[in-house]
Amino acid sequence: MQTTIIYLIGFMGAGKTTIGKELAKQLNWKFYDTDVVLQKKYHFSIPDIFSQFGENRFRIMENEVLKELSNYRAVIATGGGIVEDQENLILMKERGLVIYLSHPFQASYERIKNDKSRPLLKKTTTELNNIYNKRLPYYQQANMTIETNGKSPLQIVSEILSLLKK
Ligand code: S3P
């Protein structure tokens, strides 16, 4: 495989972190989660960044982190909103392989609805569904799409690995 960076994109609750960790383990590559790196770098939690500085500032930080991480061989789980900035999609496609983990809105919402660490969950279900729909065409620009609904992380990882061998 020529690729040196695999980016996982998709809506909140699609399983990017769980699948990314397992994929990195099986490839024996490093794993990074943009949200985790961002919080360490800026010493603020994501809810605090949103409430104190706003979402636009968060997007700038996210772009910085993505650029920094895009220099190493790794599997990178990105935040669900990474595609809000077209520059990020261009960068990811230039530097590596972008895999979209496609998961239906309702099933994703059920997984995350009680999570206090995701500030976007203050929005109504309809608003979130609109965000999901707005992002879909950007997620679909990924190099590969994997349907994840009803599959175990191990199943998804083995599907990704077999696609990578082709
Ligand atoms: C966001 C998704 C979150 C995190 C932040 C904003 C979004 O990441 O980056 O809360 O805009 O969809 P996950 O997709 O890992 O939940």
Side-chain angles (χ1 to χ4, degrees):
M1 193 194 346
Q2 298 293 314
T3 307
T4 53
I5 307 179
I6 294 175
Y7 300 94
L8 298 181
I9 65 168
F11 201 66
M12 294 178 281
K16 293 164 296 205
T17 303
T18 309
I19 292 157
K21 280 183 182 163
E22 184 57 36
L23 180 62
K25 190 172 132 195
Q26 294 202 27
L27 287 169
N28 203 17
W29 288 14
K30 281 197 177 303
F31 170 76
Y32 296 105
D33 180 321
T34 55
D35 287 335
V36 173
V37 176
L38 187 150
Q39 291 176 97
K40 278 197 195 136
K41 178 176 162 78
Y42 294 101
H43 308 288
F44 277 102
S45 70
I46 291 178
D48 285 347
I49 297 171
F50 269 70
S51 64
Q52 294 186 37
F53 308 106
E55 182 173 346
N56 286 349
R57 183 80 193 106
F58 171 77
R59 298 291 167 212
I60 293 167
M61 294 169 170
E62 191 175 44
N63 171 261
E64 282 298 312
V65 167
L66 184 70
K67 283 196 275 199
E68 283 169 19
L69 290 178
S70 295
N71 296 313
Y72 313 100
R73 164 171 269 195
V75 175
I76 302 175
T78 61
I82 204 97
V83 297
E84 295 272 340
D85 183 346
Q86 274 292 286
E87 195 194 305
N88 292 338
L89 202 48
I90 293 167
L91 175 96
M92 292 189 286
K93 288 182 80 174
E94 265 173 18
R95 301 281 174 94
L97 187 83
V98 183
I99 303 179
Y100 168 38
L101 301 182
S102 169
H103 195 246
F105 173 74
Q106 203 53 47
S108 302
Y109 184 69
E110 285 305 317
R111 274 188 186 167
I112 57 172
K113 64 182 179 191
N114 296 320
D115 186 345
K116 298 277 172 274
S117 71
R118 289 174 162 113
L120 253 56
L121 291 176
K122 289 193 182 127
K123 295 187 185 290
T124 64
T125 320
T126 311
E127 284 171 330
L128 284 172
N129 204 350
N130 289 342
I131 295 175
Y132 179 97
N133 289 331
K134 189 185 87 186
R135 289 177 183 171
L136 261 187
Y138 300 108
Y139 291 143
Q140 287 165 346
Q141 289 176 37
N143 302 103
M144 283 179 190
T145 296
I146 310 276
E147 298 296 336
T148 61
N149 201 21
K151 296 177 190 164
S152 72
L154 284 179
Q155 258 178 303
I156 296 162
V157 169
S158 80
E159 211 176 299
I160 295 174
L161 290 173
S162 63
L163 283 173
L164 293 177
K165 281 187 200 129
K166 283 186 184 158

